[in-house]
Amino acid sequence: MMKLLPWRCTTSEAHGTFFSKISNIAPYLFLTNMSRRFLFHSQSNQEEDIFDPPFSLASNTLRTQKPKKKQKEEKKHEKDQSFTVDSELPFDYRYSYSETNPAVKPIGFREPTRFSPFGPGRIDRKWTGISAPCVKPVDLEKVAEERRWVLGEPLTEEETAELVEKFRHNDCSRQMNLGRGGVTHNMLEDIHNYWKRAEAVRIKCLGVPTLDMDNVCSHLEDKSGGKVIYRHINILLLYRGRNYDPKSRPTVPVMLWKPLAPIYPRLVKNVADGLTFEETKAMRNKGLNAPPLTKLSRNGVYVNVVNKVRAAFETEEVVRLDCTHVGTSDCKRIGVKLRDLVPCVPILFKDEQIILWRGKKDEQNSSS
């Protein structure tokens, strides 16, 4: 076989001689390299070659000195002080101003009152669970004078018509939506942000607050300092005033989250006032079997509901409102609003149906 392939023998012999020579020469190469490196590093620094790596490990770089704890604490204290907002507004802070009654006190809370929705240390007021009361005494006369000066002279009919024509259309970019929360605290900050670039802001009201639009307008004017110059069904136009200056506007601290609603006394009693248990049960059954006066939609416009209920109570004793798909919480809010506005007595909330009773006082007055 070797005779047939003579080149295999020559190559194997060549490889063997090559590796044997390398093994014999390797120790001498290693010693020469070591001697060269030792002699090179023993030379002076002036002849040092920058491309040759150092023989020993590089020394650790100098670490930057950490700031002291006192400096950290001082910076943190200054940062906390910068977050605190002085209470400039002359009223108590609440989540909703138009949908809550300060006269009705809750019987319990769903979250600890020590947790303020404004955040820890953000305001110089204490959160009580439903509001943050004003700490400093308020001079109402001075506040009224400042607001009159900001509003300036009343708008003429031409100026009012020009603003209304500019902002009344549905494609207006300066529009805010007012939902079932009503006039909320964070809404005041949004109003002032709109007033930076425009003289007025268009507000579209939907849901439960539309039952009492007078209440919404009064709270908007009182809390923001502006004036409602246009009102059509559920559309409002809030004017900022002639002398309004965005740089000197009041600072409104923002709520970081929506606080949980507190627990209030029960709205519907087992036995209505002035009736026995059997009479109350009969009234509830009569209301459930009666045809609905009107059907309310979710986040709809309820401007005419109060007048409809008042007109129905002239002939009927019990009225049913169909609130399908409105929601249980909104049904109870509608019942509370109608109880105070009509007035009437809500006797049942069942399957998103509201049963209202006109009460004995109205019956006696109508008979007399």
Side-chain angles (χ1 to χ4, degrees):
M1 193 69 181
M2 288 295 183
K3 293 180 180 180
L4 294 174
L5 301 173
W7 58 273
R8 284 182 175 271
C9 181
T10 57
T11 54
S12 61
E13 290 176 358
H15 280 290
T17 54
F18 176 74
F19 284 111
S20 61
K21 289 179 181 180
I22 288 177
S23 61
N24 295 330
I25 299 171
Y28 299 103
L29 293 174
F30 177 75
L31 291 173
T32 54
N33 288 335
M34 288 294 293
S35 61
R36 285 183 63 191
R37 291 179 65 85
F38 178 77
L39 293 172
F40 175 76
H41 283 283
S42 63
Q43 293 176 359
S44 61
N45 295 332
Q46 295 178 357
E47 298 178 359
E48 188 177 30
D49 190 2
I50 59 175
F51 299 101
D52 188 63
F55 181 73
S56 60
L57 295 174
S59 60
N60 295 331
T61 57
L62 295 175
R63 296 180 181 179
T64 56
Q65 294 182 356
K66 295 183 179 180
K68 297 181 180 179
K69 292 183 178 180
K70 292 184 179 179
Q71 295 179 358
K72 283 186 176 181
E73 292 177 357
E74 290 177 359
K75 289 182 179 179
K76 187 177 180 181
H77 183 65
E78 292 176 358
K79 192 175 181 181
D80 294 340
Q81 286 183 345
S82 63
F83 278 136
T84 304
V85 179
D86 295 334
S87 54
E88 299 178 358
L89 300 176
F91 50 83
D92 298 347
Y93 295 163
R94 292 177 174 271
Y95 171 73
S96 177
Y97 297 105
S98 61
E99 303 306 305
T100 56
N101 187 6
V104 180
K105 296 183 179 180
I107 59 177
F109 298 96
R110 292 185 173 90
E111 61 182 358
T113 57
R114 65 178 181 273
F115 297 129
S116 173
F118 296 95
R122 294 289 300 277
I123 58 174
D124 56 349
R125 302 187 184 189
K126 185 178 180 181
W127 179 254
T128 62
I130 54 176
S131 66
C134 187
V135 179
K136 301 177 182 178
V138 179
D139 189 358
L140 298 179
E141 295 181 357
K142 184 179 179 181
V143 172
E145 289 180 1
E146 291 178 355
R147 289 185 175 179
R148 282 195 296 267
W149 180 83
V150 171
L151 290 175
E153 298 179 359
L155 294 174
T156 61
E157 295 181 359
E158 297 177 355
E159 292 174 340
T160 304
E162 184 179 355
L163 285 175
V164 169
E165 183 63 25
K166 184 178 179 181
F167 292 97
R168 72 179 179 86
H169 300 284
N170 291 329
D171 59 350
C172 175
S173 61
R174 307 295 178 187
Q175 174 179 312
M176 295 179 59
N177 294 327
L178 188 145
R180 63 178 182 175
V183 182
T184 58
H185 182 78
N186 289 352
M187 189 177 179
L188 304 179
E189 177 69 15
D190 296 336
I191 289 173
H192 285 287
N193 290 335
Y194 273 103
W195 280 348
K196 286 181 181 179
R197 304 178 184 275
E199 292 181 319
V201 57
R202 184 177 187 262
I203 301 176
K204 185 177 182 180
C205 305
L206 297 172
V208 181
T210 57
L211 285 169
D212 191 4
M213 290 298 296
D214 294 335
N215 182 38
V216 173
C217 293
S218 63
H219 279 288
L220 282 173
E221 293 181 349
D222 181 35
K223 301 302 184 292
S224 67
K227 185 178 181 181
V228 177
I229 60 174
Y230 175 76
R231 172 179 167 183
H232 179 67
I233 307 177
N234 65 323
I235 303 299
L236 304 175
L237 192 61
L238 189 63
Y239 177 61
R240 67 182 185 181
R242 292 184 183 273
N243 302 323
Y244 179 82
D245 185 10
K247 295 182 180 179
S248 61
R249 50 157 283 190
T251 304
V252 182
V254 179
M255 281 191 176
L256 303 181
W257 66 84
K258 179 183 176 180
L260 296 178
I263 303 171
Y264 288 98
R266 190 172 180 179
L267 178 61
V268 178
K269 298 180 180 179
N270 293 330
V271 180
D273 296 336
L275 296 176
T276 61
F277 179 77
E278 297 297 333
E279 291 175 345
T280 304
K281 187 176 180 180
M283 285 290 180
R284 289 170 178 167
N285 292 331
K286 182 180 178 180
L288 289 173
N289 296 325
L293 176 64
T294 183
K295 184 175 181 179
L296 305 181
S297 60
R298 187 176 181 85
N299 291 332
V301 181
Y302 314 142
V303 176
N304 300 323
V305 174
V306 175
N307 293 331
K308 287 183 179 180
V309 173
R310 286 176 182 171
F313 278 153
E314 293 179 359
T315 56
E316 301 291 336
E317 189 177 11
V318 181
V319 170
R320 177 167 73 95
L321 301 179
D322 186 3
C323 301
T324 308
H325 307 300
V326 172
T328 305
S329 61
D330 283 4
C331 285
K332 292 183 179 180
R333 293 181 182 183
I334 292 170
V336 171
K337 288 266 188 182
L338 293 175
R339 180 193 64 182
D340 299 333
L341 295 173
V342 173
C344 59
V345 180
I347 58 176
L348 183 63
F349 294 94
K350 184 179 179 181
D351 298 333
E352 295 184 341
Q353 305 292 317
I354 302 176
I355 310 301
L356 301 174
W357 176 50
R358 67 183 178 183
K360 281 193 172 183
K361 293 182 180 180
D362 294 340
E363 186 176 358
Q364 292 175 359
N365 294 333
S366 62
S367 63
S368 61

